[in-house]
Amino acid sequence: MISYAKDTYPLFTDKDVRGMSKFFDLRSFGDVKARSEQISNRIRGIGGSVIPPPPPNGDGPWSQEKIDLFEAWVKEGCQP
Ligand code: HEM
């Protein structure tokens, strides 16, 4: 099983967490689950600029492996 605590949480860097803190908390299972569809789109550049943003604001777009892992977490129903 793919879980937020084991798999999804470590995908987010402290820079991501700080950058997003005024919108929602990437370290919160509930917040990330609630926005999973939007996050899934934006990491693929759908519905807005690709996230995370390039330096210096962010650490740039994710690798395909990270995207696939997040997508698999969503597909399995966003397990805690
Ligand atoms: C993997 C990491 C990140 C994820 C999953 C993420 C996710 C998102 C999502 C879902 C939105 C849309 C929010 C909404 O419309 O309510 C958003 C917007 C935004 N994010 Fe992030 N973000 C990440 C990293 C960052 C970083 C590092 C910054 C640095 C400053 C940042 C800055 C912003 C800003 C300024 C917006 C509003 C403008 C826009 O929608 O593009 N984010 N992000």
Side-chain angles (χ1 to χ4, degrees), residues 11-20 22-24 26 32 35 37-40 42-43 47-53 56-60 62 66 70:
L11 295 174
F12 305 119
T13 66
D14 289 339
K15 195 180 245 189
D16 295 333
V17 175
R18 278 197 303 276
M20 288 310 294
K22 44 180 180 314
F23 301 93
F24 62 92
L26 286 167
V32 173
R35 289 164 182 84
E37 202 175 323
Q38 207 182 12
I39 294 170
S40 166
R42 292 293 297 269
I43 57 178
S49 57
V50 65
I51 55 113
N57 294 332
D59 298 315
W62 279 0
K66 287 181 83 168
F70 190 86

Side-chain angles (χ1 to χ4, degrees), residues 57-71:
N57 294 332
D59 298 315
W62 279 0
S63 64
Q64 194 59 49
E65 286 70 25
K66 287 181 83 168
I67 294 172
D68 289 347
L69 182 57
F70 190 86
E71 298 295 302

Side-chain angles (χ1 to χ4, degrees), residues 24-36:
F24 62 92
D25 184 4
L26 286 167
R27 295 283 183 234
S28 154
F29 164 68
D31 277 16
V32 173
K33 181 178 180 177
R35 289 164 182 84
S36 57

